[in-house]
Amino acid sequence: ANVYRRKSDPNTVTKVARAVTHKSSDDGYVGFIQHIIDMHNPYFPQVSELKEIVDRDGEFAGYVVRMEKLQTMHQLSDEEIDALMHKILGEEVNFRTPGAVVGGFTVSKSVARDTPRLIGAIIEDQYQNPNSSVIKDPALLEALDMLRKLAKKGQYSQDLHEGNMMIRRTPYGP
C-alpha cells in the first residue's frame, strides 16, 4: 500500500492499495478494517473511511483507507516506552537491564537496547497463549481476542511483530 499524508490534517493518512484478490471479502486487510472501523479499542487504529475501488468490469481492484497517522514503536521516547510497558503489564518493570525477566522473557543485551522487540514478543506470546496472565490491560486482551476470532474464521492470518505494531502518540492511546 502507498501511504499519503494530508497537509490539511497532519494526524491523518490515506492508504491506497491494489487488490491482491479478486473479491474484497477475500482481502485480509480489507476484512480487518471492516471489523475495526466502528471499534473504539485503543489498540486498533481509528479509521474514518474505507472505499473499495472497482475496475470497469465491476471487479474489486483495490481500496482507499483514511485513518489516523500512527508511529512505529521505534519512534517512541524512553518515557513513552515506559508508559506503554506499564499500561500493558500493569506494573513498572525493569526491562532495560540484561538478565531481568519481563513477561516470562529474559532480557538479553540486544533486547535491552531494542525494547520494541520485547514488547512485540510479549504481545505475540499472549496472542499464541491466550491463557497467559502476563498482559493485564483489558483493552489489549480484547484486541488480541478479536484477532484470534478473525483467525478462526479465516479472516486474519497472524502477523503480529514489532515491525507491524503501530502506536498512537496521544495521551489517550497506548
Side-chain angles (χ1 to χ4, degrees):
N2 294 318
V3 179
Y4 302 96
R5 292 185 181 162
R6 297 168 44 111
K7 289 183 181 181
S8 61
D9 184 357
N11 298 313
T12 302
V13 296
T14 300
K15 289 178 106 173
V16 180
R18 290 187 192 146
V20 293
T21 64
H22 295 291
K23 296 189 302 188
S24 64
S25 60
D26 293 337
D27 187 292
Y29 186 74
V30 171
F32 171 73
I33 294 297
Q34 288 171 333
H35 277 89
I36 68 162
I37 199 163
D38 294 322
M39 290 186 78
H40 298 288
N41 184 305
Y43 290 95
F44 292 124
Q46 296 299 301
V47 177
S48 59
E49 184 178 14
L50 169 63
K51 284 186 192 176
E52 294 181 16
I53 302 168
V54 294
D55 63 17
R56 291 183 191 137
D57 299 323
E59 297 287 323
F60 175 62
Y63 57 85
V64 176
V65 177
R66 186 171 311 160
M67 62 190 292
E68 71 178 312
K69 180 182 174 195
L70 301 172
Q71 310 293 324
T72 67
M73 285 194 287
H74 290 281
Q75 293 172 297
L76 300 180
S77 68
D78 287 347
E79 293 78 19
E80 290 169 314
I81 290 285
D82 291 347
L84 179 61
M85 288 291 275
H86 186 266
K87 182 177 179 132
I88 290 172
L89 300 176
E91 62 184 342
E92 298 214 13
V93 293
N94 177 6
F95 53 87
R96 289 196 178 88
T97 303
V101 177
V102 178
F105 293 89
T106 302
V107 178
S108 67
K109 286 182 182 179
S110 64
V111 169
R113 291 187 302 272
D114 188 6
T115 310
R117 201 165 89 201
L118 176 62
I119 294 170
I122 290 169
I123 293 172
E124 183 177 2
D125 185 66
Q126 183 76 46
Y127 175 85
Q128 299 292 342
N129 303 293
N131 295 326
S132 172
S133 60
V134 172
I135 292 178
K136 306 293 190 234
D137 184 353
L140 180 52
L141 293 171
E142 176 187 57
L144 293 172
D145 188 50
M146 191 207 84
L147 292 176
R148 278 189 223 95
K149 288 176 182 173
L150 288 176
K152 277 187 178 180
K153 294 178 186 177
Q155 298 172 325
Y156 171 77
S157 61
Q158 196 276 349
D159 194 21
L160 288 174
H161 55 84
E162 44 105 357
N164 203 13
M165 293 179 192
M166 305 293 285
I167 302 295
R168 172 181 298 118
R169 213 178 208 164
T170 71
Y172 310 108

